[in-house]
Amino acid sequence: EVQLVESGGGLVKPGSSLKLSCVASGFTFSSYGMHWIRQAPKKGLEWIALIYYDSSNKYYADSVKGRFTISRDNSKNTLYLEMNSLRSEDTAMYYCAKSDGGYDYWGQGVMVTVSS
Amino acid sequence: DVVMTQTPVSLSVSLGGQVSISCRSSQSLVHNNGNTYLSWYLQKPGQSPQLLIYKVSNRFSGISDRFSGSGSGTDFTLKISRVEPDDLGVYYCGQGTQYPRTFGGGTKLELK
């Protein structure tokens, strides 16, 4: 059974940093691209980053480019999202998702709240 | 960026009825490799989104044949037949052809 479990969220002040993790199981993690997708409260879905299966390519939404960094450790089956210079508009549920034609599996999400 | 426009924003349906949701993209979603990366997702209340349809018309594993996707280029449709209570929630289309990846604004399916 495919499982994606995010962690690392919380309440932080504007300008702070946070690092999210997503531990994968039930599939060959090193063979698939992985994404981070977020959803602000009561809002729609916003794709924010993709990393190829071998970390050879990374893509970002303009809203996070230069502040967020996606990375992965295939030996630990873990995806990361390092978030710096956090803003109130980054407040959202953050999901990791596996890539295969579409986003075929999603984690349960982790909440990040940026507030003073 | 590719803008994904979903209509309607909300939809009321009777159990057992049929509905259609439209998704239009501002640019063609045909990839250089010939595939069209248009997917549909359902987010039930309090849950993560789940994949229903990928590459326009392919049902994901375990998805009922009551769900069907169609379309090409910039114009796509999700049809749900014989609506059941478990189908209620917000439906999103998403494109995986161009960067940045984008989603439609969502269509909320409610009971009439």
Side-chain angles (χ1 to χ4, degrees):
Chain A
E1 180 196 2
V2 172
Q3 281 200 313
L4 297 169
V5 180
E6 301 97 336
S7 62
L11 171 62
V12 296
K13 296 187 186 312
S16 299
S17 299
L18 207 55
K19 188 170 184 175
L20 307 182
S21 300
C22 168
V23 177
S25 60
F27 66 101
T28 305
F29 180 71
S30 59
S31 296
Y32 292 91
M34 295 293 296
H35 300 258
W36 286 101
I37 295 162
R38 69 184 180 184
Q39 186 171 35
K42 305 288 188 188
K43 299 293 186 183
L45 301 170
E46 179 188 16
W47 173 87
I48 55 173
L50 158 68
I51 185 168
Y52 277 20
Y53 69 100
D54 59 354
S55 301
S56 59
N57 283 289
K58 303 175 185 181
Y59 297 90
Y60 298 92
D62 284 347
S63 58
V64 305
K65 202 175 294 183
R67 300 188 300 123
F68 290 13
T69 302
I70 190 171
S71 62
R72 65 191 296 161
D73 185 337
N74 285 346
S75 69
K76 295 182 179 178
N77 285 356
T78 303
L79 174 73
Y80 302 100
L81 184 69
E82 186 154 11
M83 305 184 293
N84 297 319
S85 304
L86 282 162
R87 306 166 180 167
S88 57
E89 54 264 37
D90 296 318
T91 293
M93 184 71 79
Y94 285 73
Y95 298 100
C96 63
K98 174 178 168 286
S99 186
D100 191 11
Y103 310 110
D104 58 350
Y105 290 95
W106 299 60
Q108 85 287 355
V110 62
M111 190 67 199
V112 173
T113 303
V114 184
S115 174
S116 55
Chain B
D1 296 5
V2 178
V3 177
M4 306 294 287
T5 303
Q6 269 183 253
T7 54
V9 172
S10 65
L11 208 44
S12 291
V13 63
S14 300
L15 293 178
Q18 177 173 296
V19 296
S20 292
I21 300 170
S22 171
C23 177
R24 288 188 171 149
S25 58
S26 61
Q27 301 172 39
S28 172
L29 298 186
V30 180
H31 192 276
N32 289 340
N33 65 14
N35 288 316
T36 300
Y37 294 100
L38 185 284
S39 303
W40 290 95
Y41 303 87
L42 166 59
Q43 187 172 30
K44 299 176 186 178
Q47 295 187 20
S48 305
Q50 62 179 101
L51 176 64
L52 300 173
I53 302 284
Y54 64 97
K55 287 195 280 186
V56 182
S57 60
N58 296 275
R59 271 185 300 275
F60 184 55
S61 174
I63 300 302
S64 168
D65 60 4
R66 297 184 299 102
F67 293 87
S68 63
S70 63
S72 62
T74 62
D75 204 347
F76 305 93
T77 302
L78 175 70
K79 287 185 180 171
I80 312 166
S81 60
R82 305 185 304 281
V83 169
E84 298 179 358
D86 199 43
D87 299 339
L88 304 182
V90 181
Y91 289 81
Y92 294 95
C93 60
Q95 65 85 14
T97 297
Q98 295 194 28
Y99 295 105
R101 308 298 198 215
T102 47
F103 291 94
T107 296
K108 187 171 186 178
L109 184 63
E110 299 173 304
L111 271 183
K112 192 176 287 183

